[in-house]
Amino acid sequence: MAVDVDIADVKGSVGIFQGFTDKEVNQQLALATKQATSDGLTDEILAAGIIQYTRHLLYVDWAMSYGGVQSASTLGNSQSNFNLLMSNDPYLLQYNATVASFGNGGNMGAVWTE
């Protein structure tokens, strides 16, 4: 496994990631590398998976920096039950699709018959 993913790859031109320090990105990059490897991504797609999962982790940090808002009201318009971290996290959705297509998922079991 010789994958070369660096901070610039993760941050790209995405505005929300520019405020993260190199140390913060490297910490999440290390976790993402372990996750993508555990999920069985092949060498051809491993770098993309690492970037996607690192961005997911940073996205969670970014969203939580706003205090985990559950509801908001502005000019008579109200929203509640924000779901930024589950069904609307574009980086996690992308990563899960990559694992479904190219990996085996770390949580999958084995099935056999006799």
Side-chain angles (χ1 to χ4, degrees), residues 61-72:
D61 289 345
W62 172 80
M64 294 311 295
S65 72
Y66 289 97
V69 175
Q70 293 297 313
S71 63

Side-chain angles (χ1 to χ4, degrees), residues 21-86:
T21 66
D22 289 356
K23 181 179 178 182
E24 291 168 323
V25 175
N26 276 328
Q27 288 173 336
Q28 303 299 26
L29 190 55
L31 290 173
T33 300
K34 291 178 183 179
Q35 183 66 53
T37 303
S38 172
D39 285 336
L41 293 179
T42 61
D43 287 345
E44 296 81 31
I45 198 74
L46 186 58
I50 291 169
I51 292 168
Q52 292 163 357
Y53 202 77
T54 304
R55 287 179 174 180
H56 156 66
L57 295 172
L58 293 172
Y59 181 76
V60 170
D61 289 345
W62 172 80
M64 294 311 295
S65 72
Y66 289 97
V69 175
Q70 293 297 313
S71 63
S73 179
T74 304
L75 300 173
N77 294 321
S78 297
Q79 291 181 304
S80 60
N81 297 323
F82 287 12
N83 198 2
L84 283 176
L85 303 179
M86 296 297 184

